[in-house]
Amino acid sequence: MKHLFYILTLLLFNQLYSQKISVQTLYKSIPPQEFSLEKNDFVFDLEKGTLNKKNNEDNVENKYYIEFKKEFYDENNNFYFVEYKTDFKKNAQNSVDKSEMGLFTIMYDKKDGTVLTVILNFLNADGAALYLTEKGEESPKVKSLFE
């Protein structure tokens, strides 16, 4: 019975942390700028510990080495956040520029819900870059957060 519990626990852990989260965004802003049309694809590969971002307008791709940091609700319990940070060990092994270190956040409407926003907050940047999905752009509550 212990062995069965151990195997089930390993399978559940593997399933939770070997997934890919793919997000397509349509709009970008670096406040205080307005949102403008900019199509991007984000793939959070939790098994490999990477975030791949592709700007579909100019075909530029970026790869970031990430690790899980925390998950939480905002203070009013309106939105659910999953936050990743730079994996400094992998970053150093792959000689990635220090300007690409920071926090990488996915904002959902609720836990296991719909992705509304991807937020990239680089350590050396003046502000966070906000990327809205179609659902995020349609939500007045989401847009009001960033005004």
Side-chain angles (χ1 to χ4, degrees), residues 44-95:
F44 291 78
D45 188 330
L46 307 181
E47 186 175 5
K48 292 181 181 176
T50 59
L51 164 59
N52 291 300
K53 175 188 167 282
K54 180 180 178 188
N55 180 316
N56 293 318
E57 307 295 319
D58 56 15
N59 250 0
V60 172
E61 295 186 38
N62 299 89
K63 183 176 189 175
Y64 308 102
Y65 295 94
I66 61 171
E67 61 184 352
F68 176 79
K69 182 177 180 193
K70 63 182 176 179
E71 49 191 314
F72 57 95
Y73 279 95
D74 69 316
E75 61 188 36
N76 298 319
N77 288 327
N78 289 323
F79 304 105
Y80 182 75
F81 296 84
V82 179
E83 192 168 72
Y84 302 90
K85 64 180 181 176
T86 298
D87 183 329
F88 293 104
K89 184 177 178 181
K90 284 184 183 175
N91 219 49
Q93 289 172 344
N94 292 286
S95 302

Side-chain angles (χ1 to χ4, degrees), residues 31-48:
Q33 297 174 8
E34 295 287 320
F35 283 95
S36 60
L37 185 65
E38 183 180 301
K39 296 179 182 180
N40 288 278
D41 291 328
F42 293 89
V43 178
F44 291 78
D45 188 330
L46 307 181
E47 186 175 5
K48 292 181 181 176

